[in-house]
Each structure stands twice: as C-alpha cells, then as structure tokens.
Amino acid sequence: MSELQTPPVPRRNMELLLLLLALFVSLAAYYLVGLNTDVGFDQDFLVQGGILAGLALMVHVSLRIWAKYADPVILPSVVALNGIGLAMIHRIDISKGSTVAFRQLLWTGVAIVVAIVVLWAIRDHRTLGKFTYIALLVSVVLLLLPMVPGLGHEVYGARIWIKIGSMTFQPGEIAKITLAIFFAGYLSSNRDLILMAGRKIGPLQLPRARDLAPMIVAWLVSIGVLVMQRDLGSSILLFGLFLVIIYVATGRISWIVIGMVFVTVGGIFAYQTMAHVTRRIDGWLNAFDPNVYYAKYGSAQIVEGLFGLANGGLLGTGLGNGRPGDVPLANSDMIIASLGEELGLIGLSAIVLLYVILVSRGLRAALGARDTFGKLLATGLSFTLALQCFVVIGGVTRLIPLTGLTTPFMAAGGSSLLANWIIVALLLMISHNARRPIAVNPSATGEVATAAPGKNRLRKGAKA
C-alpha cells in the first residue's frame, strides 16, 4: 500500500489572511471602547492601531525571510491576544485617567523587535542546546538579581523586580526561558541514563538517588523563589515546567509521583512557616470573611473580581460599559476579570480558546521536531504558557489561590510581554525546522536523520 506524501508548503499567505483577521478583531475592540466611552473616536485609535499593524507585519515579513515554514497560526493568535489586551488596558486608562496603554504599546514594540532579532540570530534551535549549563548559570543570576541591595524592588510584598532609574523589570520572566533551555538540554543528554538505571517497585520505576539531582535542584530553585522573593506563582511555574519536561523525556509516571511528593512537602512547609503563603491560602478559602476581606493583602481583590465576572454574565456589559476599574490591578493581575465583565462568558471563552490554539500549535511543533532537544524545549515553552494561563484564570475565578502571575500577552507588564514574545519566536523557529524540507545525508547519525517528506528530501543521485 503506497503512502501519500505531500511536500511541505510555507503557508505564509494563510498566515497573512489570519493576521489581517486578528488585526481587525483588535482594532474593532479598540474602536468599540471609543464608541462606548466619552472619548469617542480619537487619533489614538489610528496611531496605536497603525503601530500594532506595522509591528505585526514586520514579524510576518521576517518569517517569510528567515522561517518561511513556521506554523502559520501562532503569530495571528498572539497578535489577537496582544491587541485585545491593549484595547482593554486603554479602556481602563479611560476610567482611571492613566497612560498605561501607551507604555504597553512601547513594550510591545520592544518585545516584537527582540523576537525578530531572535529569529534572525538563532536560525537553528539546536544551537541553544550547546549552552545548557550557561543557561542554568544565567537563570540563577536572573533569579538572584532582585535580592541585590539597591537594585531589587519590592511590590505588594513580593521582591521579584529590579529597578534602574524609573524603569522596573522582572528578571524571573526571562529565567523561565533559560531554565527551559537548561532542562531540555540536560534531559536530552542524560535521558538514556535516567531511563536505564533505577529500581522497579510495583508499577513504578524509581530512579537512582544520584539521578534525582535535577529534580532536587528544580525543587530547591522553586522553594528559593518562594522564600526569598515571596513569589508563589513563579515557584509553581518553574517546578511545573521541570516536571512536565522530565515526564515527556522519560515517559514515566514515577517522576510525577516523586514531584507531587516534593510539592506536597514544600507546600505544607510554606503554609506553616511563610506568612505570605498563609495569607494566600486563607484568602482563597475564606474570601468572603470580612476579617480576611479587609485585611492587608486580603481577599478584596478576589471578591471584587468575582463580582465583576458576575456582572458580565453570559454576554458581558460591552467594551466600555462596565466598571472594571473598581477591581485592584484591573489592567495587570486582574485583566481576566476586566475582560470577563465587559465581554461576558462567551467573550472570555473565545480568549481562552485562542490560548488553547496557541498552546496546541506549540505542542504540534514539539511533535514534529526532529531532535529530542527541540521536542523538550517546545513542550516546555508551550506548557509554560498553558500553566501560566491556568494559574492566572484559576486564581481569578477562585479555583485555586490567587498568585502574582500575569496573563500572557494581555496584562500590563513589559517584562512578561518581552519574555512571552521571545517564547513565540522560539516556537516559530522550532516549527520552521520541524516542517522545512531537508536533504538527508546518508552519513548523518543521531536524531536529525529523519527527513520531512517532500521533493527536496532525496539528494541528487540517491536511491528512492
């Protein structure tokens, strides 16, 4: 039975069509905000809309030049999320008289330019695998920077920022990328050793004590972030990232079991000894208790967000017609509640669906990657986006304790925006290398020998 094979096609024209649709949605959201508020149709709409469209098209052109086989859905999904986030931040600016949207637009420009530089500078993601331990060192430095006296900056009890002049930056956002590179590089090199060694007890294949070292390092890093920086969200994110990568690398449920034991021990320790973690848990369990509601760093933010979501109902109040500004940090940590109030359950579901599409396309790139490092890196980066969305939306809807993580691409915050656009650039690069036709070198060995189907697959003179 013959196998039908079709050559890979760039699909950049499809991306352009989807990109225009994403820009239309973003600009329509911005336009509706103007119509439903006293601002009306102003010049900001043309300026900010034009800048966003220009930046998005810059990435599209870059992909045509350097990564023409990249996934055509990732970029439009991100632009739609970024554009809707800008419109909502602009809407909250109107109610509060602030100018956060303009700063967010500037950071969008910086993040997109950096993403283009990543696409240009790192044509092959396997290059990053050569810097495994350097990535670990960079991660440690980035995570420790907020603890440096005179440089670190504390906001709402969490010391996760550095401040230079009037500019603040959260280095932990970049650290999640470098840690993903380290985990992917380490496990792609030591996967066979970890798989072969160990003792089997019942259905579980337990690793040797020395093979637990990376798990212990990941756990200590997470606990260190929790203790020194008081950042519960980043702690969950970093340990979850490692747990998923090691599970994908080994395929063994025993690592999940061991990881959950570590999480349980760390969680109980943190709840009993760290006041900020105790407050988070109490605020989650007893959100409507007046003593908790009115306490410093209490549950007022959660409760106000829930009332906002309830006010939006199924269809929402309409962009510009709600009162999202009543919720503390409405344009950053609680932007999901703001969107839920004005777009309703249906609009919020559409946004969640965009995230699902983005993550699924990232995982598709991981499946198509021809090397283990690429598979693990794409999986880790995609899972980072998914876990961050789950932690944020779960916290706002009181499914889990509220943490300080931001909604990717939508919440106000330059460092988060920059890190997530770099993640997108890496996913686009991995998907390009996964889909592009390559010439098979018969002498090549290792993981990259598998070629994509296509007319360029066979070298001239080679036997079919």
Side-chain angles (χ1 to χ4, degrees):
M1 186 175 179
S2 64
E3 182 181 357
L4 179 62
Q5 295 182 338
T6 57
V9 291
R11 296 185 177 177
R12 297 272 67 83
N13 291 334
M14 176 190 291
E15 180 186 77
L16 181 59
L17 289 175
L18 293 175
L19 196 56
L20 293 175
L21 178 61
L23 288 170
F24 173 78
V25 170
S26 303
L27 296 180
Y30 207 99
Y31 182 66
L32 287 174
V33 168
L35 280 183
N36 292 327
T37 58
D38 296 335
V39 174
F41 182 75
D42 59 0
Q43 191 176 359
D44 287 349
F45 170 78
L46 295 176
V47 173
Q48 298 191 19
I51 292 175
L52 179 64
L55 291 169
L57 291 174
M58 280 172 56
V59 183
H60 172 73
V61 172
S62 301
L63 291 175
R64 283 185 179 272
I65 299 172
W66 297 312
K68 65 179 182 179
Y69 290 98
D71 189 292
V73 181
I74 291 178
L75 178 60
S77 302
V78 172
V79 169
L81 291 168
N82 203 155
I84 294 172
L86 279 169
M88 177 50 69
I89 294 171
H90 170 64
R91 184 264 173 276
I92 296 171
D93 276 354
I94 293 173
S95 64
K96 291 191 170 184
S98 55
T99 57
V100 179
F102 181 71
R103 189 168 69 237
Q104 183 77 351
L105 187 64
L106 289 178
W107 272 110
T108 300
V110 172
I112 288 180
V113 169
V114 172
I116 292 173
V117 171
V118 169
L119 286 171
W120 167 75
I122 309 173
R123 306 291 178 84
D124 189 341
H125 61 271
R126 287 172 295 175
T127 306
L128 298 173
K130 301 175 182 175
F131 302 100
T132 297
Y133 292 98
I134 293 177
L136 176 62
L137 179 63
V138 172
S139 304
V140 172
V141 172
L142 288 171
L143 290 173
L144 290 178
L145 277 180
M147 308 310 299
V148 177
L151 186 62
H153 182 60
E154 185 173 316
V155 178
Y156 296 111
R159 194 178 178 87
I160 57 177
W161 301 86
I162 59 172
K163 188 171 184 178
I164 302 173
S166 60
M167 189 185 77
T168 58
F169 190 80
Q170 190 176 344
E173 289 286 344
I174 305 298
K176 67 186 181 185
I177 301 174
T178 51
L179 277 175
I181 294 171
F182 164 70
F183 291 148
Y186 178 85
L187 291 172
S188 61
S189 301
N190 298 279
R191 174 177 173 272
D192 292 339
L193 182 63
I194 294 175
L195 272 176
M196 296 298 292
R199 178 182 300 177
K200 190 168 185 178
I201 300 178
L204 299 179
Q205 180 80 25
L206 298 180
R208 298 178 301 181
R210 59 183 175 184
D211 292 335
L212 280 173
M215 173 72 80
I216 293 173
V217 168
W219 184 73
L220 289 176
V221 168
S222 302
I223 292 296
V225 168
L226 193 60
V227 173
M228 293 189 295
Q229 302 183 0
R230 300 183 177 183
D231 187 5
L232 178 62
S234 296
S235 176
I236 295 173
L237 191 66
L238 296 179
F239 194 72
L241 167 66
F242 174 73
L243 208 58
V244 164
I245 291 182
I246 196 169
Y247 175 70
V248 172
T250 62
R252 287 183 177 166
I253 198 69
S254 56
W255 285 104
I256 300 295
V257 175
I258 295 170
M260 294 311 295
V261 171
F262 275 55
V263 167
T264 304
V265 172
I268 293 173
F269 169 76
Y271 178 71
Q272 293 183 341
T273 60
M274 300 175 195
H276 60 286
V277 177
T278 306
R279 281 197 301 269
R280 292 281 187 183
I281 302 296
D282 288 343
W284 171 51
L285 295 176
N286 308 298
F288 291 93
D289 184 332
N291 293 327
V292 178
Y293 179 90
Y294 289 108
K296 185 180 181 182
Y297 304 131
S299 60
Q301 191 181 26
I302 301 173
V303 173
E304 296 298 331
L306 290 173
F307 278 119
L309 290 171
N311 187 42
L314 186 64
L315 300 176
T317 59
L319 281 170
N321 290 328
R323 298 173 59 187
D326 292 348
V327 182
L329 302 177
N331 58 9
S332 55
D333 292 13
M334 299 298 286
I335 196 168
I336 284 294
S338 305
L339 290 162
E341 180 180 358
E342 299 208 333
L343 298 179
L345 178 62
I346 293 177
L348 199 54
S349 299
I351 290 172
V352 172
L353 188 59
L354 276 175
Y355 282 114
V356 171
I357 292 172
L358 174 61
V359 172
S360 65
R361 302 304 288 200
L363 292 175
R364 181 174 178 174
L367 286 172
R370 297 161 177 150
D371 61 296
T372 304
F373 175 74
K375 287 181 185 295
L376 296 180
L377 182 59
T379 301
L381 295 177
S382 302
F383 178 77
T384 298
L385 293 174
L387 181 59
Q388 192 162 343
C389 290
F390 171 76
V391 170
V392 172
I393 297 174
V396 171
T397 56
R398 207 177 161 221
L399 178 65
I400 59 175
L402 185 67
T403 67
L405 289 179
T406 56
T407 310
F409 305 106
M410 305 191 85
S415 44
S416 172
L417 202 56
L418 176 63
N420 288 318
W421 267 102
I422 293 175
I423 288 176
V424 166
L426 293 175
L427 290 177
L428 287 168
M429 185 197 316
I430 293 172
S431 68
H432 164 70
N433 289 320
R435 295 183 66 247
R436 69 186 172 93
I438 61 172
V440 177
N441 184 353
S443 63
T445 59
E447 303 158 319
V448 295
T450 305
K455 59 184 179 181
N456 296 327
R457 178 182 180 183
L458 300 177
R459 299 181 69 192
K460 187 176 181 180
K463 293 181 180 180

